[in-house]
């Protein structure tokens, strides 16, 4: 059936790390479709960068806002902040060749702390006295299990 062909094409042994390379080698898609797919992936990367940097830029703007006298000056400062953030990101990507390794390491540690360890720990601290024993046990399981996963993932990354 068609589903097995699609699954083998997507997850088979001949699939490259980047899907665009696999699609180009297959030669089944028209060149226009390949070009569109490539540009959509590039636009996705740009939008992801923008969405990631926006809160940081907004935070920096909030910090300097009390010291900026006019609205026009604030618009200029906002633009400069965004340009500096982009330039810093570019400089890091150029001058630190193993930046992807650093990102994966930091991402792993921060993700485990923010999404597993911290919520369970905060639940214990805020409601610990009123929680039944089984909820405390689950929270501790998340804290300990998340810590172990962060350590093991860090070791595996290094």
């Amino acid at each position: 059936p068609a589903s097995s062909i699609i699954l083998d094409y997507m997850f088979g042994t001949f699939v490259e790390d980047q899907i665009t390379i696999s699609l180009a080698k297959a030669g089944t898609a028209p060149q226009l479709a390949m070009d569109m797919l490539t540009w959509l992936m590039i636009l996705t990367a740009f939008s992801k960068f923008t969405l990631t940097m926006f809160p940081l830029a907004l935070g920096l703007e909030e910090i300097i806002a009390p010291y900026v006298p006019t609205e026009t000056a604030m618009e200029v400062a906002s633009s400069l902040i965004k340009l500096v953030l982009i330039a810093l990101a570019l400089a890091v990507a150029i001058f630190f060749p193993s930046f992807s390794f650093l990102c994966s390491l930091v991402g792993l540690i921060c993700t485990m702390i923010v999404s597993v360890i911290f919520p369970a720990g905060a639940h214990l601290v805020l409601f610990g006295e009123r929680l039944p024993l089984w909820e405390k046990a689950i929270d501790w399981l998340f804290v300990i299990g998340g810590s172990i996963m962060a350590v093991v993932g860090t070791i595996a990354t290094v």
Side-chain angles (χ1 to χ4, degrees), residues 47-135:
S47 65
K48 184 177 181 180
F49 180 78
T50 304
L51 290 172
T52 304
M53 285 299 195
F54 180 74
L56 182 60
L58 195 61
L60 291 172
E61 289 171 18
E62 291 295 323
I63 290 172
I64 67 161
Y67 306 106
V68 179
T70 65
E71 189 66 32
T72 305
M74 187 62 202
E75 288 178 13
V76 170
S78 174
S79 297
L80 286 174
I81 287 172
K82 291 171 185 161
L83 286 172
V84 167
L85 287 174
I86 291 170
L88 288 173
L90 179 64
V92 167
I94 290 172
F95 295 116
F96 295 101
S98 60
F99 184 66
S100 62
F101 166 74
L102 178 65
C103 284
S104 66
L105 186 64
V106 170
L108 169 80
I109 294 169
C110 290
T111 300
M112 291 306 294
I113 290 172
V114 168
S115 63
V116 178
I117 299 168
F118 178 75
H123 189 245
L124 279 170
V125 169
L126 292 173
F127 304 106
E129 300 164 355
R130 294 177 274 168
L131 292 176
L133 184 61
W134 65 273
E135 282 189 32

Side-chain angles (χ1 to χ4, degrees), residues 25-59:
K25 284 183 180 177
T28 56
Q31 187 60 37
L32 178 63
M34 289 300 301
D35 291 342
M36 287 176 54
L37 178 65
T38 302
W39 282 105
L40 285 173
M41 293 178 82
I42 290 169
L43 288 174
T44 301
F46 279 125
S47 65
K48 184 177 181 180
F49 180 78
T50 304
L51 290 172
T52 304
M53 285 299 195
F54 180 74
L56 182 60
L58 195 61

